[in-house]
Amino acid sequence: MIELLAHLGKNTRSSFSKLGRGTFFLLQCLAGIISVLPRPRLLLNQMYSVGVLSFLIISISGLFVGMVLGLQGFYILSDFGAETTLGVMVATSLVRELGPVVSALLFAGRAGSALTAEIGLMKATEQLSGMEMMAVDPIKRIISPRFLAGFLSMPLLATLFSAIGIIGGQIVGSGLLGVDEGAYWAQMQAKLDFYDDIINGVIKSVVFGFVTSWIALFEGHDAVPTSEGISRATTRTVVNSAFSILGLDFILTALMFGDD
Amino acid sequence: MQHTSTQDTLVGLFVAAGITALFFLALQVSNLSALTEKDSYTITARFENSGGLKVKSPVSAAGVKIGQVSAISLDPKTYEAVVKMSIYSQYNNIPSDTTASVFTAGLLGEQYVSLEPGGSEEFLKNNGAIEITQSAIILEKAIGQFLFKSAEEKK
Amino acid sequence: MGNRISCQNTLISVSNLSFSRGDKKIFDDISLEFERGKITAIMGPSGTGKTTLLKLMGGQLLPNQGSIIVDGQNVHRLRRSELYNLRKRMGMLFQSGALLTDMSVYDNVAFPLREHTKLPESMIRTLVLMKLEAVGLRGAYSLMPNELSGGMARRVALARAIVLDPMMIMYDEPFTGQDPISMGVLVHLIKALNKTLGLTSIIVSHDVHETSAIADYIYVLSGGKVVGQGTPEAIRQSDSEWVQQFMTGAADGPVHFHYPAKDYMDDLLSTGKRY
């Protein structure tokens, strides 16, 4: 019993100390962004590996999620004779929830894990240490550009996901199932608000991008520099990102759409 | 860091695609176009009961959308619902004796304000008021009345 | 302390340094001096914290006690920007080379120049090719680090370490895991660079023969203490058992074959509680 308590206490302490290190890391990383701005080349290279390389998986997933929503939504709505509101259903679910959340989860799996592994391996092969000895701050040179790239790419990816999803829903809804195309768009336009729905969705994805990039980079930087340590860190990135995304989504949803 | 120019192009395309998607969502998916493209003026109507009417519920005449509800409040003295409506300024010839009613689109559809133009030569201006209104039909009340009536008829 | 080198010739002096990691004492009150323009070697069995000493000198770790003075500056009292300025004049060659894997050999060597100077690309090219020529790898400038052998990677890292013309270079285990030819190349390079560039070199190593062939002065560390020091000749003839065991490579001696453990019989007969 006492052993259990001691174990628990030790775990709590280590998780608090990790949170502390993580916060300190985040502050350093944010401070480092200033020195990235005069060197857009660094950002551009990372936008490529974080954003462009995630583009394909995001757009294909978006298309399929939209198509499934179109299909499922049609079966449910046609029971009530309300097929014309299919567009509203597809667009609302994508713009408010599925776009930001699913693309953030995919982003954590695709780009987040890659970032953790990359930083972890750089640490293991002494590249970070080497940079420090060359008087180059690895936080500024390596971490901050990646953070900024993740933070900027996420809303772009989520917006693309939603847009492609809505088109996917339209392809299935009016292309295959015969919902009137005009009604699909018109009902959607009447119901969705630019600020309440779309901007709130974008804000969500900005938050998710921030958190996912932070977790991914910190886990990499904090990884035990062995193969096992890096593999664990990569797993933690995906798991912790997923938890944070879903938890934050609940909080953000309650804040944004609570009084409607 | 080879192929830098290809990389630049791809990043450029990626950012452009993201921004295009945002524009698509703004203009094609949401009502931003409706709000920004059209000027509007405000009229008010008082209802005994506004039912399920909400801000942004459509206002239509003869089935054509001509504006939307911009605010709903309760008059503290008369206990009436005061509904403010933004009407697109192209429809500036609504007669002053127009009737406003709260209707429901279909059985489960949303509620909207329907305007039935009267015959007056005078038109409503900005901040004008519609005098003749018909409240929302509350489904439970209507069914209750119907059952009550048919029970009385059977006697 | 009688045989200390006179002070004005000292580039780095480590005095009364203590450092521990957790409960384990890595250095216990050690003092070392490194003379300008010479090759000084720090030798000792693996696990004695030789790499840690280099990291302490580079200001990457903080000592528990004592000070390290590099070129008149106390490394651990410097502000961050001052430390970074000092590091520009300290080259370090990591055991693995620590080349940046996402850049070609050329870009790796150009990296410190691009980060710290605003030189035009044409001048960077000249400097990079000169340094690559010095390590004999000018022809390999377009290769990526994963296409290099271990010895080549170390030579590229060496070119990178000298590209800013530092006053000193710290070599972390430069000979480990090298075939005899690359080892010979590295030994030759270290000696030649030290002479032609007027560098101060510090070699951390446990390769007795190669190191004593080029070092001017040797410190032997063990168990957190300096157990022997002197010229290679003096070290070879040292009467210390520690030093003799290390230099001749005997399996048992003052440094035991066994890692400290509790009694063997007790351990075998115990109930097998897991740790």
Side-chain angles (χ1 to χ4, degrees):
Chain A
M1 185 65 204
I2 287 175
E3 245 174 64
L4 187 76
L5 276 178
H7 185 69
L8 209 68
K10 210 175 160 190
N11 272 1
T12 319
R13 213 187 125 191
S14 77
S15 50
F16 273 119
S17 102
K18 188 164 185 184
L19 185 65
R21 268 178 289 143
T23 312
F24 186 63
F25 175 82
L26 178 66
L27 293 178
Q28 280 182 304
C29 172
L30 291 176
I33 287 178
I34 300 164
S35 55
V36 179
L37 299 179
R39 302 179 65 181
R41 159 84 32 222
L42 291 179
L43 177 64
L44 219 63
N45 287 333
Q46 293 313 316
M47 284 288 277
Y48 177 77
S49 54
V50 170
V52 175
L53 295 183
S54 309
F55 178 78
L56 195 65
I57 184 176
I58 293 277
S59 31
I60 291 174
S61 315
L63 185 67
F64 279 107
V65 168
M67 284 163 73
V68 169
L69 275 176
L71 215 56
Q72 293 282 17
F74 179 81
Y75 290 132
I76 295 170
L77 293 173
S78 60
D79 281 351
F80 300 102
E83 304 97 286
T84 48
T85 56
L86 181 68
V88 181
M89 197 208 101
V90 171
T92 313
S93 12
L94 275 169
V95 166
R96 284 186 173 189
E97 290 296 336
L98 293 174
V101 172
V102 176
S103 57
L105 291 174
L106 290 170
F107 180 77
R110 170 66 184 77
S113 56
L115 282 177
T116 306
E118 188 189 10
I119 304 290
L121 274 170
M122 284 183 120
K123 187 180 178 185
T125 53
E126 293 181 308
Q127 292 184 49
L128 296 184
S129 221
M131 250 184 214
E132 263 182 44
M133 282 309 297
M134 285 188 275
V136 176
D137 187 345
I139 299 266
K140 285 183 189 158
R141 181 62 173 68
I142 299 290
I143 307 285
S144 293
R146 283 167 174 73
F147 180 80
L148 197 59
F151 178 64
L152 293 177
S153 299
M154 190 65 257
L156 293 174
L157 290 170
T159 315
L160 276 165
F161 186 96
S162 300
I164 292 172
I166 289 168
I167 294 171
Q170 195 258 332
I171 291 170
V172 170
S174 51
L176 298 178
L177 301 169
V179 174
D180 179 54
E181 199 180 327
Y184 184 89
W185 295 112
Q187 292 265 10
M188 196 189 295
Q189 282 176 23
K191 275 286 187 176
L192 263 74
D193 185 77
F194 180 67
Y195 298 101
D196 283 355
D197 295 309
I198 290 164
I199 292 296
N200 274 346
V202 172
I203 292 174
K204 270 188 180 179
S205 63
V206 169
V207 174
F208 297 158
F210 185 93
V211 172
T212 310
S213 315
W214 175 27
I215 292 177
L217 291 168
F218 175 64
E219 288 293 356
H221 193 256
D222 205 48
V224 181
T226 59
S227 356
E228 199 207 0
I230 293 167
S231 105
R232 276 165 181 254
T234 313
T235 311
R236 275 202 303 271
T237 292
V238 175
V239 172
N240 291 351
S241 300
F243 277 140
S244 315
I245 289 165
L246 296 171
L248 280 169
D249 183 48
F250 176 76
I251 296 170
L252 289 172
T253 305
L255 285 177
M256 289 168 172
F257 308 112
D259 55 333
D260 192 49
Chain B
M1 245 161 265
Q2 296 114 349
H3 321 297
T4 359
S5 60
T6 342
Q7 230 177 54
D8 292 358
T9 317
L10 288 172
V11 173
L13 281 175
F14 166 63
V15 174
I19 292 170
T20 314
L22 186 65
F23 268 100
F24 169 76
L25 291 184
L27 300 177
Q28 183 72 18
V29 174
S30 80
N31 53 2
L32 188 69
S33 52
L35 286 182
T36 50
E37 279 174 16
K38 292 167 187 167
D39 291 330
S40 59
Y41 64 99
T42 308
I43 57 173
T44 38
R46 294 164 166 270
F47 294 96
E48 234 172 78
N49 189 331
S50 65
L53 212 57
K54 286 189 197 112
V55 171
K56 284 177 198 140
S57 292
V59 177
S60 62
V64 180
K65 187 177 173 186
I66 59 166
Q68 61 180 11
V69 172
S70 58
I72 302 174
S73 58
L74 182 71
D75 187 316
K77 281 181 193 150
T78 59
Y79 301 108
E80 283 173 326
V82 181
V83 176
K84 282 194 177 176
M85 293 168 275
S86 301
I87 308 295
Y88 306 138
S89 25
Q90 70 200 83
Y91 306 110
N92 56 0
N93 50 355
I94 300 169
S96 54
D97 59 347
T98 294
T99 315
S101 336
V102 179
F103 284 151
T104 306
L107 195 59
L108 296 166
E110 57 174 350
Q111 296 202 295
Y112 65 99
V113 179
S114 170
L115 301 183
E116 280 159 48
S120 169
E121 294 288 303
E122 273 180 56
F123 299 130
L124 284 170
K125 294 205 174 72
N126 193 20
N127 294 327
I130 293 176
E131 305 293 341
I132 318 160
T133 61
Q134 192 189 336
S135 285
I137 295 166
I138 308 296
L139 202 59
E140 294 92 316
K141 254 190 195 170
I143 293 170
Q145 275 170 357
F146 172 74
L147 290 175
F148 189 64
K149 253 189 198 164
S150 50
E152 277 206 329
E153 274 170 17
K154 272 190 184 167
K155 269 187 187 172
Chain C
M1 297 281 163
N3 53 352
R4 277 239 188 131
I5 312 144
S6 65
C7 268
Q8 71 258 36
N9 261 336
T10 307
L11 181 67
I12 305 171
S13 73
V14 175
S15 29
N16 307 105
L17 183 84
S18 294
F19 180 80
S20 42
R21 202 167 257 155
D23 295 332
K24 202 184 166 210
K25 259 205 164 150
I26 310 238
F27 299 119
D28 187 9
D29 196 24
I30 59 167
S31 298
L32 313 163
E33 306 255 313
F34 299 89
E35 204 182 336
R36 238 178 251 274
K38 299 279 172 161
I39 301 177
T40 309
I42 302 166
M43 305 191 70
S46 343
T48 40
K50 300 184 300 289
T51 307
T52 312
L53 185 61
L54 293 187
K55 290 200 165 174
L56 282 162
M57 286 185 195
Q60 289 187 304
L61 295 172
L62 272 177
N64 299 56
Q65 247 172 28
S67 63
I68 296 175
I69 313 280
V70 177
D71 199 28
Q73 291 173 289
N74 185 335
V75 174
H76 300 100
R77 290 278 164 76
L78 294 177
R79 268 182 287 134
R80 198 178 161 74
S81 55
E82 294 170 328
L83 177 62
Y84 270 58
N85 274 329
L86 180 62
R87 278 184 187 163
K88 286 180 202 167
R89 301 192 290 140
M90 303 166 84
M92 177 146 171
L93 186 72
F94 282 84
Q95 201 168 341
S96 57
L99 294 177
L100 303 170
T101 42
D102 58 344
M103 297 180 191
S104 67
V105 164
Y106 179 92
D107 287 322
N108 259 292
V109 179
F111 181 80
L113 291 170
R114 289 187 177 140
E115 290 293 319
H116 295 308
T117 69
K118 291 208 164 68
L119 293 177
E121 205 55 32
S122 60
M123 195 174 284
I124 289 181
R125 186 183 143 83
T126 314
L127 283 169
V128 169
L129 292 181
M130 276 166 65
K131 304 295 175 184
L132 279 174
E133 177 71 19
V135 296
L137 288 176
R138 189 167 46 86
Y141 73 94
S142 62
L143 296 182
M144 294 302 280
N146 57 5
E147 297 169 299
L148 302 173
S149 72
M152 283 161 89
R154 253 172 242 191
R155 280 150 71 190
V156 173
L158 186 54
R160 187 177 65 175
I162 58 173
V163 79
L164 285 174
D165 287 323
M167 57 182 178
M168 58 177 281
I169 293 198
M170 300 183 275
Y171 299 91
D172 187 2
E173 303 281 8
F175 311 119
T176 310
Q178 299 293 311
D179 62 74
I181 298 173
S182 346
M183 191 114 83
V185 168
L186 280 165
V187 169
H188 163 77
L189 265 178
I190 292 172
K191 183 129 188 149
L193 285 174
N194 194 73
K195 210 170 166 191
T196 52
L197 301 177
L199 290 168
T200 305
S201 307
I202 300 170
I203 302 174
V204 150
S205 178
H206 51 238
D207 293 278
V208 174
H209 298 291
E210 289 71 23
T211 312
S212 50
I214 52 171
D216 295 306
Y217 201 81
I218 296 178
Y219 285 97
V220 183
L221 295 186
S222 181
K225 296 270 190 196
V226 178
V227 293
Q229 56 175 300
T231 57
E233 199 50 39
I235 289 282
R236 234 169 274 147
Q237 282 157 14
S238 160
D239 48 5
S240 157
E241 275 181 58
W242 287 93
V243 178
Q244 279 309 322
Q245 188 197 352
F246 183 71
M247 299 303 278
T248 55
D252 213 349
V255 177
H256 293 292
F257 169 69
H258 289 291
Y259 190 83
K262 55 184 179 178
D263 188 75
Y264 190 34
M265 270 329 267
D266 281 359
D267 221 2
L268 286 178
L269 296 172
S270 69
T271 48
K273 186 181 170 215
R274 296 196 55 190
Y275 300 101

